[in-house]
Amino acid sequence: MGSLVIGVRCDGNLWTDWPDRFEHDWPDDTLLDQTCCLDASGVLSRYFAGEAVDPALAACPTPTGPPFHRATWTACRSVPRGSTITYGQLAALAGAPRAARAAGAAMRSNPLPLFIPCHRIVPSSGGIGGFAGRQDISSPAVRFKYDLLEFESAHAGT
């Protein structure tokens, strides 16, 4: 699925990115060689090897952020590997059933894809929706979301 960078910000939050897939700037306060990154990378290595491990259940703390984003990110971590729910369902899990758009905004600013599995959240209108702030179905980001969902579906029983 490409190279994945895992870093730790000075505030203690993990941060991830796929530099060969998306055009993101790395946060100025990201450190790339911290010991806790090894634990996170081990979980992801096992996940991508098809083992029955879910990065959403890893011992990575929910990042700091606005209260509703934190509630939404925490709720997102409860969506099982190989499953999807809608943005409206995610908003309800986060305690605000009428806040589907706000849940989408929280997913768009998710600093920990895979650990907070925003790819498992889809629109109620059908399709898979956006990923990494991109909405165009032909974008590499949305294609990657599709690939992640296909990967999880293929390895749901393992």
Side-chain angles (χ1 to χ4, degrees), residues 45-115:
S45 293
R46 292 175 44 223
Y47 168 78
F48 283 118
E51 291 184 30
V53 61
D54 187 347
L57 303 177
C60 299
T62 300
T64 57
F68 184 70
H69 283 201
R70 287 182 54 81
T72 305
W73 296 334
T74 298
C76 182
R77 293 177 92 167
S78 72
V79 180
R81 177 180 155 169
S83 301
T84 59
I85 64 170
T86 67
Y87 292 99
Q89 290 170 317
L90 178 62
L93 285 173
R98 299 177 57 102
R101 287 181 188 238
M107 293 297 95
R108 191 169 29 261
S109 63
N110 175 12
L112 288 178
L114 296 178
F115 295 105

Side-chain angles (χ1 to χ4, degrees), residues 103-129:
M107 293 297 95
R108 191 169 29 261
S109 63
N110 175 12
L112 288 178
L114 296 178
F115 295 105
I116 299 171
C118 54
H119 61 281
R120 298 176 187 165
I121 314 303
V122 297
S124 60
S125 60
I128 65 167

Side-chain angles (χ1 to χ4, degrees), residues 7-155:
V8 178
R9 297 181 65 145
C10 291
D11 62 7
N13 287 315
L14 278 176
W15 173 81
T16 62
D17 195 9
W18 287 271
D20 57 341
R21 292 192 171 264
F22 308 119
E23 296 176 15
H24 288 155
D25 293 326
W26 294 0
D28 291 337
D29 61 349
T30 300
L31 309 170
L32 300 178
D33 58 348
Q34 297 294 307
T35 304
C36 69
C37 293
L38 295 175
D39 295 332
S41 66
V43 167
L44 293 179
S45 293
R46 292 175 44 223
Y47 168 78
F48 283 118
E51 291 184 30
V53 61
D54 187 347
L57 303 177
C60 299
T62 300
T64 57
F68 184 70
H69 283 201
R70 287 182 54 81
T72 305
W73 296 334
T74 298
C76 182
R77 293 177 92 167
S78 72
V79 180
R81 177 180 155 169
S83 301
T84 59
I85 64 170
T86 67
Y87 292 99
Q89 290 170 317
L90 178 62
L93 285 173
R98 299 177 57 102
R101 287 181 188 238
M107 293 297 95
R108 191 169 29 261
S109 63
N110 175 12
L112 288 178
L114 296 178
F115 295 105
I116 299 171
C118 54
H119 61 281
R120 298 176 187 165
I121 314 303
V122 297
S124 60
S125 60
I128 65 167
F131 191 71
R134 312 305 196 288
Q135 296 295 320
D136 181 5
I137 193 77
S138 65
S139 77
V142 174
R143 179 65 198 172
F144 189 59
K145 178 176 181 173
Y146 177 82
D147 291 345
L148 284 171
L149 291 171
E150 286 290 310
F151 175 80
E152 288 190 352
S153 177
H155 293 89

